[in-house]
């Protein structure tokens, strides 16, 4: 069952990982995230795979975390025994932990993004080395409205620069594919009906390069970011993120300050 949530295919030394929950705009529940991580690991370890492509089935890349199924309730038999410790442990493993692990996968990766990429969706796209966006793609992190300062993996400042990072966090507004390309967050913007072919063409081109050279090129860039403090900063901001959950817990007894029915309506309206 869980396997169906994520599809895995290899052709021309390119592994294609597909988020396959289109009826929920690829919202991420624990089973989907665990299947996704297993697919990343499989691609990383398969000597026949040179490049990893991550895509989403359906109209949208990912609407973010599935708030019905996350944050530890599954470990307590569905009972909502919220504690900051439980939230921290869940998010350390499945959110920031998985995202950093995928970012550090030695093989080059490309995210192909169409439709919405909301909040937790960024935790799937940003760890990829390259991003190809359809011209209808929109990226947003509107979690300030829920009393949280930003999603778990703080790529914002690194990807967008400080001014735009603050603007989208303060306002919750989405940036377009073209706007994301202009600031360097996205490599290429293509018409929606060319997203698959353009991503594939790029992946196949990269896959022809020597494995070791690709690995060293990726490491050179990531190591440069790490010397500037990338991983340390992401981990530190994750603790700030958890302060948001902690505050919501004390105010509302729930990890976010919003009612879920209202938010599902908002997401549906944007779909
Ligand atoms: Zn969180």
């Amino acid at each position: 069952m869980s396997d169906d949530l994520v599809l895995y295919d290899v052709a021309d030394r390119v592994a294609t990982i597909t988020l396959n929950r289109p009826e929920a705009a690829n919202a991420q529940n624990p089973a989907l995230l665990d299947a996704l991580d297993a697919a990343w690991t499989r691609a990383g370890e398969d000597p026949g795979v040179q490049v990893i492509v991550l895509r989403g089935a359906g109209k949208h890349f990912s609407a973010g975390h599935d708030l019905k199924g996350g944050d530890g309730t599954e470990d307590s038999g569905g009972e909502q025994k919220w504690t900051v410790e439980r939230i921290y442990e869940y998010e350390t493993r499945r959110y920031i932990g998985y995202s950093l692990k995928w970012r550090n996968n030695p093989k080059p990766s490309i995210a192909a993004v169409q439709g919405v990429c909301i909040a937790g969706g960024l935790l799937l796209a940003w760890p990829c080395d390259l991003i190809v966006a359809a011209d209808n793609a929109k990226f947003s992190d509107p979690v300030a409205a829920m009393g949280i300062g930003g999603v778990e993996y703080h790529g914002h400042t690194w990807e967008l620069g400080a001014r735009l990072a603050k603007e989208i966090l303060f306002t919750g507004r989405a940036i377009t594919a073209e706007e994301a390309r202009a600031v360097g967050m996205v490599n290429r913007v293509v018409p929606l009906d060319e997203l698959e072919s353009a991503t594939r063409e790029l992946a196949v081109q990269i896959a022809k390069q020597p494995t070791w050279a690709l690995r060293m090129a990726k490491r050179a860039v990531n190591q440069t970011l790490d010397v500037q403090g990338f991983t340390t900063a992401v981990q530190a901001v994750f603790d700030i993120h958890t302060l948001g959950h902690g505050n919501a817990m004390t105010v509302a007894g729930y990890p976010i300050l919003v009612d879920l029915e209202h938010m599902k309506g908002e997401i549906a309206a944007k779909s």
Side-chain angles (χ1 to χ4, degrees):
M1 185 72 186
S2 294
D3 291 346
D4 297 339
L5 293 169
V6 171
L7 306 178
Y8 185 87
D9 175 65
V10 178
D12 302 323
R13 307 195 76 198
V14 175
T16 300
I17 300 171
T18 302
L19 308 167
N20 190 35
R21 208 185 168 209
E23 73 284 1
N26 295 315
Q28 304 156 35
N29 58 21
L32 182 142
L33 284 167
D34 291 348
L36 178 58
D37 181 59
W40 270 96
T41 300
R42 183 176 170 186
E45 291 176 354
D46 183 349
V49 169
Q50 187 87 324
V51 177
I52 300 164
V53 168
L54 175 65
R55 61 183 291 276
K59 283 161 62 177
H60 302 292
F61 179 75
S62 178
H65 297 143
D66 187 339
L67 298 167
K68 284 176 298 187
D71 294 321
T73 50
E74 83 285 2
D75 296 330
S76 56
E79 249 182 273
Q80 295 194 343
K81 293 179 182 169
W82 303 104
T83 65
V84 172
E85 181 177 2
R86 183 179 286 279
I87 295 164
Y88 193 83
E89 283 178 357
Y90 180 89
E91 298 196 346
T92 294
R93 178 181 162 201
R94 289 205 174 89
Y95 295 166
I96 187 179
Y98 279 169
S99 291
L100 285 172
K101 193 173 157 194
W102 303 333
R103 182 250 187 188
N104 292 327
N105 189 300
K107 295 177 183 174
S109 56
I110 308 172
V113 180
Q114 82 284 16
V116 300
C117 179
I118 302 173
L122 298 167
L123 271 71
L124 308 192
W126 279 339
C128 292
D129 298 309
L130 309 179
I131 299 178
V132 179
D135 51 13
N136 76 340
K138 284 187 176 170
F139 304 87
S140 63
D141 185 13
V143 301
M146 303 173 210
I148 310 292
V151 278
E152 291 79 11
Y153 180 93
H154 187 79
H156 315 63
T157 304
W158 299 89
E159 299 279 358
L160 306 171
R163 301 277 179 207
L164 186 55
K166 287 173 181 169
E167 183 188 326
I168 69 154
L169 287 168
F170 293 171
T171 64
R173 81 165 176 92
I175 58 173
T176 63
E178 185 51 44
E179 197 174 2
R181 192 202 58 77
V183 296
M185 191 195 107
V186 156
N187 293 84
R188 296 176 189 183
V189 179
V190 299
L192 177 60
D193 62 0
E194 294 172 20
L195 180 63
E196 195 173 340
S197 60
T199 305
R200 172 136 212 98
E201 191 179 333
L202 181 59
V204 169
Q205 181 190 354
I206 294 169
K208 290 175 181 162
Q209 300 274 38
T211 307
W212 184 249
L214 289 172
R215 185 170 185 162
M216 292 301 99
K218 173 166 180 167
R219 188 160 166 76
V221 177
N222 280 5
Q223 196 67 9
T224 300
L225 290 171
D226 280 341
V227 167
Q228 297 172 71
F230 175 83
T231 299
T232 311
V234 165
Q235 285 171 340
V237 177
F238 173 64
D239 287 0
I240 297 173
H241 168 89
T242 306
L243 269 179
H245 286 315
N247 179 64
M249 290 282 295
T250 60
V251 172
Y254 192 71
I256 53 174
L257 295 177
V258 73
D259 81 85
L260 289 181
E261 291 309 314
H262 172 74
M263 205 178 60
K264 277 191 288 182
E266 294 264 296
I267 290 171
K270 287 177 185 166
S271 301

